[in-house]
Amino acid sequence: MIRNACHSFRALEPTKAIRGSCLNTLSKRRKTLDYHYVVRSCGWAIARQWPLIQQRTWVRNATSKATLAIKDLPQGAITPEPLSDKEWQDEPVYPTMVQQARNNMRKFENCVLLTKAGSFYELYFEHAEEYGPLLNLKVAQRRTSAGPVSMAGFPIYQLDRFLKILVQDLNKYVAISDEFAANSSDKVKSGGLLFDRRVTRVVTPGTLIDENFMDPSENNYLLAIHVEDQPQVNAAPDKVSLVKSHRSGETMLDLPAAIGLAWLDLSTGDFYTQSTALSSLPSAVSRIDPREVILDNSLRDLDDIMIALPLRKDHFVITYYAIPPAITPISAWAPMLESDVPPGVASEFTNEEVAAGSSLLEYVKTRMQGLSMRLQPPIRRHTTEAMGIDKNSMRALEIKSTVRDGVFKGSLLHAISRTSTKSGARLLSSWLSSPSTSLSLINSRLDLVSQFLENPVLREDIISMLRRSYDSQRLVQKFSLGRGDADDLISLLRTIEAMKAIATVLVAHQIGQESTAQSSTADNDFTESLVVGTDSISNVLRRFNITEPSVLAKHIIEAIDEDGLMQSHRIEDDEVAAVAAMAQDVVSDEGTNEEMASMPKKIRSKTSAKTGSTKDSDTEYGDVWIMRKSASPILEQLHETLDDLKQEKRILAEELRERLSAATLTLRWTPGLGHICHIKGKDLRASLVSLEAARSVSSSKSTRSFHLPEWTNLGSRIDQAKLQIRAEEQQIFQDLRQQVVLNLVKLRRNAAVLDELDIACSFASLASEQNLTRPILTNGLSHKIIAGRHPMVTIGLEEQGRTFTTNDCFVGEQDRIWLVTGPNMAGKSTFLRQNALISILAQVGSFVPAEYAEIGIVDQIFSRVGSADNLFQDQSTFMVEMLETAAILKQATPRSFVIMDEVGRGTTPEDGIAVGYACLHHLYHINRCRTLFATHFHVLADMTKDLEQVGCYCTDVAEDAQGSFYYVHRLRRGINRQSHALKVARIAGTSAALSPQFVYQSG
C-alpha cells in the first residue's frame, strides 16, 4: 500500500491531491516508521521529505484527521535520481513477467535477451525496437500500468533461425531466458504467475553447441589469449609511439611478451593449448581460425598496439572479459574434463598456457550458466610437431578459400575433399592447417592410403559404412552437456553399428575371410587375434574399442521404441503446424504483403492442422511411448497396470451404454471439464435418472456431457499411471545418458579412428581419380619433383577441356635457390605455388600430383606472392610487401621452403632491384633455405651469377611468322629477358591505347 502511494508521489509533476494521498497513506503507519524503510519502499522521492513528514502531529484515533499545509512542502517537479540495483529490484513497476525481462536485461546488459513465454520467445523494450526490424519481426506496444512496452516475438521452433541472424550474422551475444515452474511462495510473490524466468545460457559466436546453423565441416573454436608480462603503455613510450605511428601489428614483434593460447570447441569437446611469441600470434590465430577471441579487460588500453588490431584486421570477433586475477591450476579443471590430466603431463604446460586455459574455462562457465560439461583433456600443441604456415601463406596458397572471392570452391580443401562424414571433413581441414613434421606419422598415414588404394572393394565397403554413421564427436559432446535426446541415442546407435561393421570388414580383410564374417568376431576377439600385426590396418584395429560401446548399443536397442519415437515426431510436427498456421492467420489478417512473403515457404503452404482439445477414449491419441514396455521391470509392470485400467474403462463404457441405451456414449477428457461422459445424436433422449450420481455439465442440440464419479475416479487413476510411466521413461533415458557419459573416452577414440579412416579412403579415392603418386618423405633438405601439377589449376583446366603443363623442381641440393624469369602469364606464379602445395599435401599424408616426389621435411612454408594494401593501418601495397618479406627473412630456417614472387615491384626499377638482390643475398647466406624466386628484374640473374647454388630457369613465348604467339609454360634452364607485357595488354583489349607513338621500341 505504502509503495503504491509512493509511485504516485514520484511523478514528475505531482498534483496537490496526489501529494495529499501519499502523505495520508504514510500517516496511517506507525510513528516508528523509520527512514530506511521509506528509502527501501518509497525511494528517494519520499525519503528526502521524511524529516518534514515526521514533524506532523500523528493521531491514532480513527476519526482524527492529520493536516499539513501544502505551502510547507517543496513545490515543482521532483528531480529523478538513479536507484541502486536493490532498490530497483524491490520496486517492480511493470507487470511481473515484463519486470522479470527487465531484470534480466540489466543483469546481462551486453546481450540480446530472448524470453520464453509459452510457445514463443519474446523481446522487450529497446531490444524489440532495435532488433525487431533487423529480424523482420513486427514490433507491437503492450499496455501496462507503467506505460506502453515495446515487444516482438517469434515461435519457439524458429529459435535457430533467429539465433543465426543474431549470433552468426550480427555477432551479437544472446541470453536465453527459459521458464521454470514456480513454487507456492514464488507464485505469491509474482502475483500468481505459474513460471519464473531465468537465463539458462548465453549464446556467443564461440559457444555454439548443437545449433542447426553451425558449419558441420568446420570446428567452432573459442580462443583465449593470455599475455604474460604484458608491457604497459607508459613503460616503453619510445616503442609504443613507434607502433602507433606505423599502426602495424608486425612492428610490435620485438616487444618482450610471452603469449599463451587456449582454445576449445564446445560442440566436440576438443581442447588445446600452445605457447607462442608476439611475432607469430597473427599466424597462430589464423591457423586456429576461432569464431570468438577472449581478451582480458586489461588489454583494452593496449589493443591498438598489441593484440586486437591484427585480429580486427582479420575480422575476428573479440570479447573483452573481466578475467579473475587468480589462475586456476590444471588440477582444478577436473570437474570440466572427461578424465584427469596426469601430474607429469600437467607439468609440461607453461604458465601462460595454464593462464589462458583458466581464462577460457572461466568464460565458458559463465556463458553456460552452470551447465555441466565434459571436455577432452587439454592437448599441448608444439610448434615443432607441425609445419608452420603463416597467415599470408594460408591466404596466398588458397588453402581453405580463394584469394579473389574468399569462397570455398577453388581452394585446396575443396579440390582434395572426398570425405564421407562431417567429422572427417573437420579433421581434414585441421590437418591442412597444420601438416605434420613427424616422419613416422606421415608414413603411417601414407601406408593406410596405399592399403585402400590397392583394395578398391575394401575402400568402397568402408565408405558405404561411413555414410551410415553420424557425427559421433558432436553427438557424444551433446550428452556430456546433458542435451542429448532420444533421436541422438538412435544416431549414436547407428554410429556404433557402423563401427562394428567396419571392424568386421577390416578383420575379414586381414584374416582373408569374406566380408560377411560374423560381427561377434569384431565385438570381442579381433584385437587379440591381430595384436601381432604391424601393418597399417592392424594398427587401426588395435585402436578400436568395440566391446563396451556394443553393450551400450544393445541397451539402446532394448530400451527405445523407434516406432513410438517416429509417432511422437508426427505429433510434434502437427503442433508446429498448428502454431505456424496461427502465425500465418495473424500475418494474413494484420500483416503486409512483405511480411507475408517473409514467412517460410513451408509455413505459407501449410494448411491449418485439425487439432482437437478433446481426447476420445477409444483413440488414445496422446498415449505415445518412446520406450519399449520391456525397457525395465518397473516400466513393464506400470504398462500392465495401465492396460488393466484401460480394460476397466472399456467395461465401464459398455455398462453405461447398456444402462442408458446410448450406443454413442464415450468416456473422454477435456481441459475445461475434466473426465466426462459424452453422448450425441439420437441418444440425447436417454434419461440419466438411473445414474443417481450423474451431473450434467454441458449440453447442446446435438451433444450432452455429464460427470460420473466412477469415471472421474477411474480417469484419475489412469492419468496417474501415465504420469508414472512418463517418469519411469525419463529415468530410463537418464540411465542411458549416463551410460553414454561413462563411455565418453571410448566413443571419442573410436570416432577419431573413423575420421582417420574417412580421410584415408578420401585420399585413396582422390589418388585413383587424379593419378596421384605416393611421395617419399626424408629428413633431407631438398625437393625432387618430376612432372608436378597444380592441384586446383589442373581441375579448372580439365573442366575447360584443356591440359596442364607439368614441370620438374629439383631445388635444395645442387641449386638451393631457383631464380625464375619469363613472360607475364607464362606460369611463374603457378609453378611457385604448386610446389608449396605439393609439400603441404605430402606432409598431410596424401598422395601428390606428380609422377615422382621426394621431399625433405619442411618445418615452415613462407609465401610472398600477390599484392594488397592496408589503408586502414596506413600501409601501402609496397609497405605490406616489405612487412611480409621482413617476416620471412627473420623467421625462415634451413629446413623452410620459401616462394617469393616479384619482390621489389611498386617502386623504381633501381630500388626494386636493390630490394630483390638484398633478399636473395640474405636467403642464400643467412637463411640457407629452399627458395623459388620469380622476378621480372632480369639483371638479378647477372648480379647473382657468382652464387654457386643459385640456378636460373625461365618460361618462354613462341611466335610464328604471322605474329601469332603462345606461351611455353615448360621451364628450362636459362634467363628470359623479355616479359612480353605488351602482348598481355593487347590480349586484355588495350591494343587501341597502345598505339606505336606511345610505346617505346624495345630491342
Side-chain angles (χ1 to χ4, degrees):
M1 177 178 64
I2 193 170
R3 197 173 294 166
N4 292 336
C6 293
H7 290 161
S8 299
F9 194 88
R10 291 173 61 202
L12 292 179
E13 292 291 341
T15 63
K16 296 180 181 180
I18 291 177
R19 291 197 188 98
S21 173
C22 245
L23 296 177
N24 287 335
T25 302
L26 290 171
S27 67
K28 295 177 183 178
R29 302 289 296 179
R30 293 189 320 233
K31 188 174 182 178
T32 56
L33 192 66
D34 64 349
Y35 176 84
H36 298 289
Y37 178 88
V38 178
V39 172
R40 291 196 306 270
S41 301
C42 308
W44 292 103
I46 293 293
R48 286 184 304 180
Q49 302 186 51
W50 184 242
L52 179 62
I53 296 172
Q54 282 187 313
Q55 295 176 7
R56 299 180 50 181
T57 301
W58 296 84
V59 182
R60 294 184 178 277
N61 162 345
T63 59
S64 300
K65 185 177 181 180
T67 59
L68 183 68
I70 294 298
K71 66 181 180 180
D72 294 333
L73 290 175
Q75 303 298 307
I78 298 175
T79 305
E81 296 185 12
L83 299 176
S84 67
D85 290 343
K86 180 171 177 54
E87 292 168 355
W88 168 71
Q89 291 175 2
D90 286 343
E91 289 188 342
V93 177
Y94 298 99
T96 307
M97 178 179 169
V98 179
Q99 188 64 45
Q100 288 175 348
R102 172 57 80 183
N103 294 349
N104 286 329
M105 287 175 65
R106 295 198 178 190
K107 186 176 180 181
F108 299 89
E109 58 183 358
N110 295 324
C111 303
V112 181
L113 180 70
L114 300 180
T115 302
K116 186 177 181 182
S119 300
F120 287 81
Y121 276 109
E122 297 182 346
L123 298 93
Y124 296 98
F125 300 103
E126 61 269 20
H127 286 179
E129 297 171 357
E130 180 178 357
Y131 298 105
L134 295 176
L135 300 175
N136 203 21
L137 298 174
K138 186 173 183 178
V139 181
Q141 298 293 321
R142 175 178 176 178
R143 295 183 180 179
T144 70
S145 58
V149 174
S150 299
M151 61 179 294
F154 55 85
I156 286 178
Y157 68 86
Q158 290 187 320
L159 176 62
D160 272 355
R161 172 191 172 195
F162 291 104
L163 276 181
K164 178 185 183 300
I165 298 174
L166 290 170
V167 177
Q168 197 172 64
D169 299 342
L170 300 179
N171 291 327
K172 299 297 180 181
Y173 307 149
V174 178
I176 298 179
S177 175
D178 285 321
E179 296 176 333
F180 295 87
N183 54 36
S184 301
S185 60
D186 291 337
K187 288 181 183 178
V188 173
K189 293 178 182 178
S190 62
L193 285 183
L194 298 178
F195 298 100
D196 183 23
R197 289 169 176 82
R198 300 191 302 270
V199 172
T200 57
R201 183 184 168 203
V202 177
V203 183
T204 68
T207 57
L208 302 177
I209 299 176
D210 58 354
E211 283 70 22
N212 292 330
F213 56 84
M214 291 179 64
D215 186 350
S217 302
E218 291 289 341
N219 284 102
N220 198 84
Y221 284 129
L222 173 68
L223 170 68
I225 300 177
H226 175 80
V227 182
E228 191 78 9
D229 299 326
Q230 28 184 295
Q232 302 297 320
V233 175
N234 56 2
D238 53 338
K239 290 187 177 181
V240 170
S241 61
L242 172 65
V243 174
K244 286 187 175 180
S245 64
H246 286 289
R247 296 189 60 79
S248 164
E250 286 79 1
T251 56
M252 282 291 294
L253 303 184
D254 296 328
L255 285 179
I259 307 293
L261 305 178
W263 65 100
L264 61 80
D265 184 347
L266 270 179
S267 68
T268 62
D270 295 328
F271 186 9
Y272 303 97
T273 70
Q274 179 185 332
S275 293
T276 188
L278 198 57
S279 60
S280 304
L281 179 63
S283 296
V285 175
S286 178
R287 185 183 68 253
I288 297 168
D289 193 21
R291 296 297 181 266
E292 182 181 359
V293 180
I294 306 167
L295 296 178
D296 188 17
N297 274 336
S298 62
L299 293 174
R300 281 183 183 272
D301 295 334
L302 296 172
D303 66 347
D304 281 342
I305 59 174
M306 282 190 62
I307 307 296
L309 193 61
L311 299 180
R312 288 200 184 98
K313 174 184 175 183
D314 293 327
H315 308 292
F316 291 113
V317 177
I318 300 175
T319 299
Y320 289 100
Y321 179 68
I323 298 173
I327 298 175
T328 305
I330 293 181
S331 58
W333 299 357
M336 302 181 69
L337 305 179
E338 68 180 17
S339 60
D340 295 339
V341 181
V345 176
S347 62
E348 298 177 359
F349 291 84
T350 64
N351 292 335
E352 55 268 21
E353 289 175 343
V354 175
S358 174
S359 305
L360 183 66
L361 295 180
E362 180 64 28
Y363 178 82
V364 170
K365 283 193 291 187
T366 60
R367 290 300 183 253
M368 303 305 289
Q369 292 291 296
L371 183 66
S372 63
M373 66 188 72
R374 288 291 184 271
L375 302 171
Q376 299 183 51
I379 298 175
R380 186 167 187 262
R381 287 282 180 87
H382 300 269
T383 55
T384 57
E385 67 186 14
M387 177 196 291
I389 307 176
D390 67 345
K391 68 172 186 177
N392 299 318
S393 299
M394 288 282 289
R395 182 179 62 251
L397 296 177
E398 301 181 307
I399 292 177
K400 292 186 179 181
S401 61
T402 61
V403 173
R404 185 178 183 87
D405 302 316
V407 297
F408 174 67
K409 185 176 182 181
S411 66
L412 176 63
L413 181 57
H414 173 263
I416 69 171
S417 180
R418 301 291 188 278
T419 53
S420 304
T421 66
K422 300 302 182 184
S423 54
R426 290 197 301 271
L427 183 61
L428 176 58
S429 177
S430 176
W431 283 7
L432 279 179
S433 300
S434 304
S436 177
T437 56
S438 169
L439 201 57
S440 60
L441 178 59
I442 296 171
N443 283 326
S444 67
R445 292 176 181 174
L446 291 171
D447 289 343
L448 192 58
V449 175
S450 297
Q451 288 268 13
F452 289 126
L453 182 61
E454 295 167 2
N455 296 275
V457 175
L458 174 65
R459 180 176 76 240
E460 292 302 323
D461 288 343
I462 299 296
I463 290 174
S464 66
M465 295 169 192
L466 286 169
R467 287 172 178 166
R468 296 204 301 265
S469 68
Y470 291 81
D471 193 341
S472 53
Q473 292 280 11
R474 286 185 170 172
L475 277 175
V476 171
Q477 183 64 8
K478 285 177 68 174
F479 284 102
S480 76
L481 294 169
R483 294 172 64 91
D485 55 23
D487 291 293
D488 295 322
L489 283 174
I490 296 298
S491 298
L492 187 59
L493 167 65
R494 299 288 178 256
T495 302
I496 296 174
E497 291 175 343
M499 292 177 186
K500 293 169 60 179
I502 289 173
T504 302
V505 170
L506 293 178
V507 169
H509 171 76
Q510 289 297 90
I511 63 179
Q513 296 178 354
E514 296 296 329
S515 60
T516 56
Q518 296 297 321
S519 61
S520 60
T521 305
D523 288 348
N524 300 304
D525 302 327
F526 71 90
T527 53
E528 290 80 359
S529 63
L530 297 171
V531 71
V532 296
T534 58
D535 64 306
S536 57
I537 291 183
S538 296
N539 293 333
V540 167
L541 287 172
R542 275 194 290 271
R543 293 170 59 194
F544 264 127
N545 189 329
I546 303 296
T547 306
E548 288 84 355
S550 295
V551 174
L552 172 61
K554 181 180 178 182
H555 290 166
I556 295 174
I557 292 174
E558 293 174 348
I560 296 182
D561 183 353
E562 294 189 55
D563 292 335
L565 187 60
M566 292 178 62
Q567 188 175 354
S568 69
H569 289 328
R570 286 194 291 269
I571 295 174
E572 292 172 359
D573 291 342
D574 290 343
E575 293 174 352
V576 170
V579 175
M582 180 176 64
Q584 183 184 22
D585 291 341
V586 171
V587 173
S588 61
D589 292 341
E590 303 178 11
T592 63
N593 293 333
E594 291 78 8
E595 290 171 331
M596 188 64 186
S598 68
M599 296 285 287
K601 292 182 179 179
K602 290 184 179 180
I603 294 179
R604 282 186 274 139
S605 61
K606 194 178 289 289
T607 58
S608 299
K610 294 182 67 175
T611 58
S613 61
T614 301
K615 293 181 181 178
D616 196 325
S617 62
D618 298 325
T619 61
E620 298 293 348
Y621 182 70
D623 293 349
V624 176
W625 316 109
I626 64 172
M627 296 294 172
R628 299 181 187 274
K629 295 181 180 181
S630 58
S632 75
I634 296 176
L635 187 61
E636 193 167 10
Q637 184 178 358
L638 289 173
H639 273 289
E640 290 176 358
T641 302
L642 180 60
D643 291 341
D644 292 341
L645 292 173
K646 289 181 178 179
Q647 181 62 24
E648 291 184 33
K649 179 180 175 182
R650 284 190 287 270
I651 293 173
L652 177 61
E654 288 298 329
E655 290 179 355
L656 292 175
R657 292 185 187 112
E658 291 179 5
R659 291 171 62 182
L660 298 178
S661 299
T664 61
L665 184 142
T666 55
L667 303 179
R668 297 184 175 186
W669 177 89
T670 66
L673 301 177
H675 294 92
I676 59 172
C677 302
H678 183 80
I679 58 178
K680 61 183 178 179
K682 61 181 180 179
D683 294 333
L684 291 178
R685 296 190 298 270
S687 174
L688 302 182
V689 175
S690 59
L691 302 177
E692 297 180 358
R695 180 170 57 88
S696 180
V697 291
S698 69
S699 63
S700 66
K701 292 182 179 180
S702 58
T703 64
R704 180 193 298 176
S705 300
F706 58 92
H707 281 162
L708 191 66
E710 291 92 332
W711 167 228
T712 301
N713 295 334
L714 179 58
S716 299
R717 291 163 58 197
I718 291 175
D719 290 342
Q720 184 63 28
K722 292 178 181 179
L723 289 175
Q724 291 175 342
I725 291 175
R726 298 290 184 199
E728 179 61 19
E729 282 196 340
Q730 187 63 25
Q731 183 60 49
I732 295 171
F733 179 70
Q734 292 300 332
D735 291 343
L736 290 174
R737 268 184 174 177
Q738 186 62 27
Q739 291 183 48
V740 174
V741 174
L742 292 175
N743 283 276
L744 270 180
V745 176
K746 301 178 185 65
L747 290 170
R748 279 174 168 161
R749 288 176 181 173
N750 289 343
V753 177
L754 288 185
D755 293 343
E756 292 178 20
L757 284 172
D758 190 11
I759 293 179
C761 290
S762 169
F763 284 165
S765 299
L766 181 70
S768 177
E769 292 173 13
Q770 301 185 6
N771 193 27
L772 305 185
T773 300
R774 173 169 178 162
I776 301 172
L777 278 300
T778 70
N779 286 317
L781 299 176
S782 64
H783 270 53
K784 297 178 183 178
I785 299 175
I786 298 176
R789 309 187 299 274
H790 192 294
M792 294 96 84
V793 176
T794 301
I795 295 174
L797 291 176
E798 288 176 350
E799 290 177 352
Q800 303 173 27
R802 300 163 61 191
T803 59
F804 185 89
T805 301
T806 62
N807 271 301
D808 303 337
C809 179
F810 303 99
V811 64
E813 286 189 354
Q814 180 179 355
D815 297 326
R816 200 167 60 241
I817 298 178
W818 275 30
L819 183 62
V820 183
T821 57
N824 288 289
M825 290 288 294
K828 298 190 302 298
S829 297
T830 300
F831 175 74
L832 267 59
R833 289 183 172 96
Q834 78 184 36
N835 288 287
L837 293 173
I838 288 173
S839 303
I840 292 173
L841 288 176
Q843 292 187 215
V844 163
S846 169
F847 283 28
V848 298
E851 291 183 4
Y852 176 86
E854 182 179 339
I855 300 171
I857 292 292
V858 175
D859 66 348
Q860 299 178 89
I861 279 186
F862 295 98
S863 172
R864 160 81 286 282
V865 297
S867 62
D869 56 27
N870 192 347
L871 301 181
F872 177 74
Q873 296 184 37
D874 195 23
Q875 295 173 358
S876 65
T877 302
F878 187 74
M879 182 62 178
V880 170
E881 178 183 321
M882 291 299 98
L883 288 171
E884 295 177 3
T885 301
I888 294 173
L889 298 180
K890 288 180 181 179
Q891 299 175 37
T893 70
R895 193 166 285 282
S896 299
F897 187 79
V898 174
I899 62 172
M900 305 187 80
D901 188 16
E902 299 185 27
V903 172
R905 64 182 172 186
T907 183
T908 62
E910 294 79 6
D911 290 349
I913 291 170
V915 169
Y917 179 76
C919 290
L920 285 170
H921 189 275
H922 196 282
L923 290 167
Y924 187 88
H925 292 285
I926 307 299
N927 303 108
R928 304 181 64 82
C929 55
R930 287 161 279 182
T931 304
L932 300 180
F933 194 100
T935 183
H936 285 290
F937 296 137
H938 319 117
V939 70
L940 289 177
D942 301 325
M943 298 173 69
T944 58
K945 64 183 179 180
D946 295 331
L947 302 179
E948 294 181 357
Q949 289 188 302
V950 174
C952 294
Y953 294 83
C954 66
T955 55
D956 284 308
V957 166
E959 298 185 72
D960 57 22
Q962 287 76 32
S964 300
F965 68 94
Y966 62 90
Y967 294 106
V968 179
H969 298 290
R970 181 90 62 190
L971 263 72
R972 63 173 177 83
R973 181 177 283 274
I975 305 169
N976 191 325
R977 301 184 183 275
Q978 298 294 329
S979 292
H980 298 280
L982 299 184
K983 291 183 174 62
V984 177
R986 289 192 177 95
I987 293 175
T990 58
S991 56
L994 296 175
S995 56
Q997 61 265 33
F998 297 118
V999 178
Y1000 291 104
Q1001 297 295 325
S1002 60

